[in-house]
Amino acid sequence: NAGVTQTPKFRILKIGQSMTLQCAQDMNHNYMYWYRQDPGMGLKLIYYSVGAGITDKGEVPNGYNVSRSTTEDFPLRLELAAPSQTSVYFCASSPRTGELYEQYFGPGTRLTVT
Amino acid sequence: AQTVTQSQPEMSVQEAETVTLSCTYDTSESDYYLFWYKQPPSRQMILVIRQEAYKQQNATENRFSVNFQKAAKSFSLKISDSQLGDAAMYFCAYQEGTDKLIFGTGTRLQVFP
């Protein structure tokens, strides 16, 4: 049971480039989330998904896209990277059953856009 | 919109002593969850403790306990017998029924031997 995994761990992008941050979970959780953490700040929700085929915007969705074709995977796509997207990105999942509201986090991806 | 405020950017404590981290939140909901997450230098987000708003009893997990004051919208974390491994960023978080977590800006805790 690997929990929530994220790849890559680090990435440097040039302005205007695109990339996909990968996230996978092996806990059969329905709910998955993408957060970003800027220096000295808490996490902010980018997008979330309540199940395969269903996604919705969070607090800061501009410049990002997501898809959820399977229960396990929830990739985050950055199109036309900008310096403002320099951040640490966290993926999380949750079972959303009964009182099990805990979100399980991946180790994060540190992204720098220069 | 719901907000979470952590007014202490940094705190320090001597090893074996007790420290309390503050958190306040704003909501019009009556049913919600509150969490404290720990983020060590590894960046991994680790759940420390959680509190259901409908429960009056304060949650406790070993050396960690909370003081939940629903009317005052306050949710402080008390760490007893502090250890060097407790040094980290601590984030207070509020969760709505739709499972969106709203985080505070964090408190950096230093533990001195």
Side-chain angles (χ1 to χ4, degrees):
Chain A
N1 190 331
V4 180
T5 58
Q6 292 183 238
T7 55
K9 286 188 169 53
F10 304 93
R11 184 70 186 270
I12 298 174
L13 280 182
K14 293 192 185 302
I15 294 171
Q17 287 186 321
S18 300
M19 76 164 294
T20 298
L21 280 65
Q22 300 292 345
C23 173
Q25 53 92 8
D26 60 0
M27 297 174 282
N28 201 32
H29 288 173
N30 287 325
Y31 285 59
M32 295 188 75
Y33 313 83
W34 274 106
Y35 295 91
R36 59 177 286 173
Q37 183 181 26
D38 298 331
M41 303 295 289
L43 280 67
K44 292 188 177 181
L45 184 65
I46 305 171
Y47 270 96
Y48 69 101
S49 169
V50 302
I54 305 170
T55 63
D56 207 348
K57 295 178 181 179
E59 185 181 358
V60 289
N62 291 343
Y64 307 94
N65 279 299
V66 294
S67 60
R68 184 96 181 269
S69 56
T70 67
T71 299
E72 295 78 18
D73 300 300
F74 190 41
L76 177 71
R77 178 80 177 163
L78 279 72
E79 305 282 0
L80 299 175
S84 61
Q85 294 178 303
T86 294
S87 191
V88 179
Y89 291 84
F90 289 94
C91 180
S93 71
S94 169
R96 190 58 167 93
T97 55
E99 293 191 355
L100 297 175
Y101 285 103
E102 177 182 350
Q103 291 188 17
Y104 297 80
F105 285 82
T109 294
R110 181 180 292 278
L111 176 67
T112 301
V113 182
T114 62
Chain B
Q2 288 82 355
T3 58
V4 177
T5 301
Q6 293 180 251
S7 58
Q8 306 155 316
E10 289 193 11
M11 292 284 286
S12 61
V13 64
Q14 209 76 23
E15 204 174 1
E17 297 295 310
T18 296
V19 65
T20 298
L21 309 183
S22 301
C23 173
T24 58
Y25 58 95
D26 186 26
T27 183
S28 58
E29 301 290 329
S30 60
D31 192 14
Y32 49 87
Y33 291 76
L34 296 164
F35 302 83
W36 278 99
Y37 278 89
K38 171 185 178 182
Q39 187 180 44
S42 67
R43 294 203 313 257
Q44 182 72 47
M45 295 290 286
I46 302 165
L47 179 65
V48 175
I49 198 166
R50 65 180 172 183
Q51 174 80 42
E52 292 92 334
Y54 63 85
K55 289 187 177 179
Q56 292 187 339
Q57 187 173 4
N58 289 325
T60 299
E61 290 286 345
N62 300 316
R63 299 183 294 108
F64 299 87
S65 62
V66 298
N67 184 2
F68 174 49
Q69 301 288 330
K70 191 172 184 179
K73 296 179 183 175
S74 170
F75 183 61
S76 60
L77 174 69
K78 186 171 83 170
I79 306 174
S80 304
D81 186 25
S82 296
Q83 300 175 359
L84 295 176
D86 294 334
M89 283 290 288
Y90 286 82
F91 291 97
C92 178
Y94 165 96
Q95 188 167 47
E96 303 174 356
T98 52
D99 292 337
K100 298 175 186 178
L101 270 176
I102 300 169
F103 287 84
T105 52
T107 296
R108 181 175 301 281
L109 177 66
Q110 293 181 301
V111 181
F112 294 104

PDB file of all heavy atoms in Angstrom, chain B residues 98-111:
ATOM      1  N   THR B  98     -18.473  19.604   1.843  1.00  0.00           N
ATOM      2  CA  THR B  98     -18.051  19.164   0.512  1.00  0.00           C
ATOM      3  C   THR B  98     -16.600  18.705   0.506  1.00  0.00           C
ATOM      4  O   THR B  98     -16.027  18.473  -0.548  1.00  0.00           O
ATOM      5  CB  THR B  98     -18.213  20.293  -0.520  1.00  0.00           C
ATOM      6  OG1 THR B  98     -17.548  21.462  -0.012  1.00  0.00           O
ATOM      7  CG2 THR B  98     -19.673  20.603  -0.751  1.00  0.00           C
ATOM      8  N   ASP B  99     -16.007  18.618   1.660  1.00  0.00           N
ATOM      9  CA  ASP B  99     -14.652  18.097   1.818  1.00  0.00           C
ATOM     10  C   ASP B  99     -13.541  19.022   1.361  1.00  0.00           C
ATOM     11  O   ASP B  99     -12.432  18.590   1.157  1.00  0.00           O
ATOM     12  CB  ASP B  99     -14.485  16.756   1.103  1.00  0.00           C
ATOM     13  CG  ASP B  99     -15.290  15.670   1.763  1.00  0.00           C
ATOM     14  OD1 ASP B  99     -15.602  15.822   2.955  1.00  0.00           O
ATOM     15  OD2 ASP B  99     -15.608  14.694   1.091  1.00  0.00           O
ATOM     16  N   LYS B 100     -13.829  20.287   1.142  1.00  0.00           N
ATOM     17  CA  LYS B 100     -12.753  21.206   0.809  1.00  0.00           C
ATOM     18  C   LYS B 100     -12.067  21.632   2.097  1.00  0.00           C
ATOM     19  O   LYS B 100     -12.706  22.110   3.027  1.00  0.00           O
ATOM     20  CB  LYS B 100     -13.311  22.439   0.104  1.00  0.00           C
ATOM     21  CG  LYS B 100     -14.001  22.134  -1.205  1.00  0.00           C
ATOM     22  CD  LYS B 100     -14.624  23.393  -1.770  1.00  0.00           C
ATOM     23  CE  LYS B 100     -15.440  23.075  -3.008  1.00  0.00           C
ATOM     24  NZ  LYS B 100     -16.096  24.281  -3.559  1.00  0.00           N
ATOM     25  N   LEU B 101     -10.755  21.445   2.138  1.00  0.00           N
ATOM     26  CA  LEU B 101      -9.972  21.885   3.287  1.00  0.00           C
ATOM     27  C   LEU B 101      -9.533  23.327   3.084  1.00  0.00           C
ATOM     28  O   LEU B 101      -8.996  23.658   2.027  1.00  0.00           O
ATOM     29  CB  LEU B 101      -8.737  21.008   3.460  1.00  0.00           C
ATOM     30  CG  LEU B 101      -8.829  19.772   4.336  1.00  0.00           C
ATOM     31  CD1 LEU B 101      -7.531  19.009   4.290  1.00  0.00           C
ATOM     32  CD2 LEU B 101      -9.178  20.139   5.769  1.00  0.00           C
ATOM     33  N   ILE B 102      -9.737  24.152   4.091  1.00  0.00           N
ATOM     34  CA  ILE B 102      -9.255  25.527   4.059  1.00  0.00           C
ATOM     35  C   ILE B 102      -8.194  25.661   5.138  1.00  0.00           C
ATOM     36  O   ILE B 102      -8.467  25.401   6.316  1.00  0.00           O
ATOM     37  CB  ILE B 102     -10.409  26.513   4.289  1.00  0.00           C
ATOM     38  CG1 ILE B 102     -11.454  26.336   3.188  1.00  0.00           C
ATOM     39  CG2 ILE B 102      -9.892  27.954   4.314  1.00  0.00           C
ATOM     40  CD1 ILE B 102     -12.745  27.065   3.446  1.00  0.00           C
ATOM     41  N   PHE B 103      -7.003  26.066   4.727  1.00  0.00           N
ATOM     42  CA  PHE B 103      -5.864  26.095   5.622  1.00  0.00           C
ATOM     43  C   PHE B 103      -5.572  27.496   6.131  1.00  0.00           C
ATOM     44  O   PHE B 103      -5.770  28.495   5.427  1.00  0.00           O
ATOM     45  CB  PHE B 103      -4.607  25.582   4.915  1.00  0.00           C
ATOM     46  CG  PHE B 103      -4.587  24.101   4.689  1.00  0.00           C
ATOM     47  CD1 PHE B 103      -5.206  23.541   3.586  1.00  0.00           C
ATOM     48  CD2 PHE B 103      -3.937  23.258   5.582  1.00  0.00           C
ATOM     49  CE1 PHE B 103      -5.192  22.176   3.365  1.00  0.00           C
ATOM     50  CE2 PHE B 103      -3.915  21.894   5.376  1.00  0.00           C
ATOM     51  CZ  PHE B 103      -4.532  21.350   4.269  1.00  0.00           C
ATOM     52  N   GLY B 104      -5.019  27.564   7.333  1.00  0.00           N
ATOM     53  CA  GLY B 104      -4.425  28.789   7.825  1.00  0.00           C
ATOM     54  C   GLY B 104      -3.022  28.935   7.248  1.00  0.00           C
ATOM     55  O   GLY B 104      -2.550  28.079   6.486  1.00  0.00           O
ATOM     56  N   THR B 105      -2.336  30.010   7.611  1.00  0.00           N
ATOM     57  CA  THR B 105      -1.012  30.294   7.053  1.00  0.00           C
ATOM     58  C   THR B 105       0.108  29.579   7.801  1.00  0.00           C
ATOM     59  O   THR B 105       1.252  29.622   7.375  1.00  0.00           O
ATOM     60  CB  THR B 105      -0.733  31.799   7.061  1.00  0.00           C
ATOM     61  OG1 THR B 105      -0.972  32.303   8.376  1.00  0.00           O
ATOM     62  CG2 THR B 105      -1.641  32.519   6.077  1.00  0.00           C
ATOM     63  N   GLY B 106      -0.207  28.944   8.895  1.00  0.00           N
ATOM     64  CA  GLY B 106       0.775  28.112   9.571  1.00  0.00           C
ATOM     65  C   GLY B 106       1.505  28.800  10.708  1.00  0.00           C
ATOM     66  O   GLY B 106       1.621  30.028  10.754  1.00  0.00           O
ATOM     67  N   THR B 107       1.999  27.984  11.626  1.00  0.00           N
ATOM     68  CA  THR B 107       2.854  28.423  12.735  1.00  0.00           C
ATOM     69  C   THR B 107       4.105  27.555  12.739  1.00  0.00           C
ATOM     70  O   THR B 107       3.997  26.336  12.763  1.00  0.00           O
ATOM     71  CB  THR B 107       2.138  28.284  14.092  1.00  0.00           C
ATOM     72  OG1 THR B 107       1.012  29.144  14.132  1.00  0.00           O
ATOM     73  CG2 THR B 107       3.094  28.633  15.239  1.00  0.00           C
ATOM     74  N   ARG B 108       5.254  28.203  12.689  1.00  0.00           N
ATOM     75  CA  ARG B 108       6.502  27.439  12.742  1.00  0.00           C
ATOM     76  C   ARG B 108       6.878  27.219  14.200  1.00  0.00           C
ATOM     77  O   ARG B 108       7.060  28.179  14.955  1.00  0.00           O
ATOM     78  CB  ARG B 108       7.627  28.176  12.025  1.00  0.00           C
ATOM     79  CG  ARG B 108       8.945  27.401  12.022  1.00  0.00           C
ATOM     80  CD  ARG B 108      10.001  28.109  11.186  1.00  0.00           C
ATOM     81  NE  ARG B 108       9.584  28.290   9.806  1.00  0.00           N
ATOM     82  CZ  ARG B 108       9.616  27.339   8.880  1.00  0.00           C
ATOM     83  NH1 ARG B 108      10.050  26.136   9.197  1.00  0.00           N
ATOM     84  NH2 ARG B 108       9.245  27.593   7.650  1.00  0.00           N
ATOM     85  N   LEU B 109       6.996  25.973  14.598  1.00  0.00           N
ATOM     86  CA  LEU B 109       7.344  25.632  15.974  1.00  0.00           C
ATOM     87  C   LEU B 109       8.798  25.198  16.047  1.00  0.00           C
ATOM     88  O   LEU B 109       9.222  24.289  15.323  1.00  0.00           O
ATOM     89  CB  LEU B 109       6.449  24.516  16.504  1.00  0.00           C
ATOM     90  CG  LEU B 109       6.770  24.032  17.922  1.00  0.00           C
ATOM     91  CD1 LEU B 109       6.484  25.155  18.925  1.00  0.00           C
ATOM     92  CD2 LEU B 109       5.975  22.782  18.272  1.00  0.00           C
ATOM     93  N   GLN B 110       9.545  25.873  16.897  1.00  0.00           N
ATOM     94  CA  GLN B 110      10.924  25.479  17.185  1.00  0.00           C
ATOM     95  C   GLN B 110      10.970  24.847  18.572  1.00  0.00           C
ATOM     96  O   GLN B 110      10.324  25.342  19.497  1.00  0.00           O
ATOM     97  CB  GLN B 110      11.848  26.690  17.131  1.00  0.00           C
ATOM     98  CG  GLN B 110      11.992  27.288  15.743  1.00  0.00           C
ATOM     99  CD  GLN B 110      12.944  28.467  15.726  1.00  0.00           C
ATOM    100  OE1 GLN B 110      12.724  29.445  16.433  1.00  0.00           O
ATOM    101  NE2 GLN B 110      13.998  28.381  14.940  1.00  0.00           N
ATOM    102  N   VAL B 111      11.736  23.782  18.695  1.00  0.00           N
ATOM    103  CA  VAL B 111      11.888  23.107  19.982  1.00  0.00           C
ATOM    104  C   VAL B 111      13.360  23.140  20.352  1.00  0.00           C
ATOM    105  O   VAL B 111      14.209  22.646  19.603  1.00  0.00           O
ATOM    106  CB  VAL B 111      11.388  21.648  19.921  1.00  0.00           C
ATOM    107  CG1 VAL B 111      11.543  20.988  21.289  1.00  0.00           C
ATOM    108  CG2 VAL B 111       9.937  21.602  19.447  1.00  0.00           C
TER     109      VAL B 111
END
